[in-house]
Amino acid sequence: ETCVRLDIGPNFISRYFEARVDGLNALEKIKRSIQGRNRSLLPSEVCLLLRNLPIEMLLHLMARTDEDTRRQFSIYITNLSMITTTIDGNDLKTLGLKPGPAYKAILDTILDARLDGKISNKEDELALAKKLINEKTGG
């Protein structure tokens, strides 16, 4: 009703409801981890759950949940979502990896390690990239 009253287009409505389902699933997973039944989620796991949600959905979900869960969303928005790798595909190419789908997998693994505090600088990222390349190529 609200969407009709505000003359919101069907494309936005469709995207909203898709994001809403993903958002509610993410919200439940985060809440369960906080309630102690499961181990706490790693920062990389929180990012995986939230990174594809529009900011409007994140804010909507934050408004609907408890303080501890809201804190996890806030940490994601203000900190985790800003973290990136310092290396890119050019660095992987320099290390001898041929362009292809492995680039994304390696860069995602490096980003997860950075998010989780396992690595903290470019040298660490390059060392992990070399290790991952060697595992993929058998070298």
Side-chain angles (χ1 to χ4, degrees):
E1 288 178 18
T2 303
C3 291
V4 170
R5 195 175 51 226
L6 296 174
D7 195 28
I8 295 174
N11 287 340
F12 178 83
I13 294 169
S14 176
R15 283 193 314 264
Y16 171 81
F17 281 105
E18 287 174 21
R20 185 172 183 268
V21 169
D22 292 342
L24 291 172
N25 288 335
L27 178 66
E28 285 307 310
K29 287 179 184 177
I30 292 170
K31 283 173 95 170
R32 275 196 309 264
S33 77
I34 290 171
Q35 292 169 348
R37 288 208 122 106
N38 302 330
R39 62 168 176 75
S40 293
L41 293 174
L42 295 169
S44 60
E45 294 170 318
V46 172
C47 286
L48 184 62
L49 291 170
L50 301 180
R51 77 171 42 119
N52 293 322
L53 296 175
I55 188 70
E56 296 85 359
M57 182 55 62
L58 294 172
L59 296 173
H60 172 77
L61 293 169
M62 282 178 69
R64 297 185 55 194
T65 193
D66 61 90
E67 185 177 335
D68 290 334
T69 306
R70 194 170 20 255
R71 188 175 305 113
Q72 289 298 310
F73 276 73
S74 179
I75 290 168
Y76 169 76
I77 292 168
T78 61
N79 183 14
L80 298 176
S81 67
M82 308 299 177
I83 296 174
T84 61
T85 60
T86 58
I87 68 170
D88 60 20
N90 292 322
D91 294 296
L92 298 181
K93 188 174 182 179
T94 300
L95 292 173
L97 185 64
K98 293 180 181 168
Y103 275 42
K104 180 175 177 1
I106 290 172
L107 291 172
D108 285 349
T109 300
I110 291 168
L111 177 59
D112 288 349
R114 187 173 269 275
L115 287 164
D116 295 339
K118 296 176 182 174
I119 59 175
S120 60
N121 56 46
K122 186 171 185 170
E123 291 74 26
D124 293 343
E125 289 183 13
L126 288 169
L128 180 54
K130 286 177 189 174
K131 178 180 180 248
L132 294 169
I133 290 169
N134 284 337
E135 288 173 3
K136 288 204 179 292
T137 61

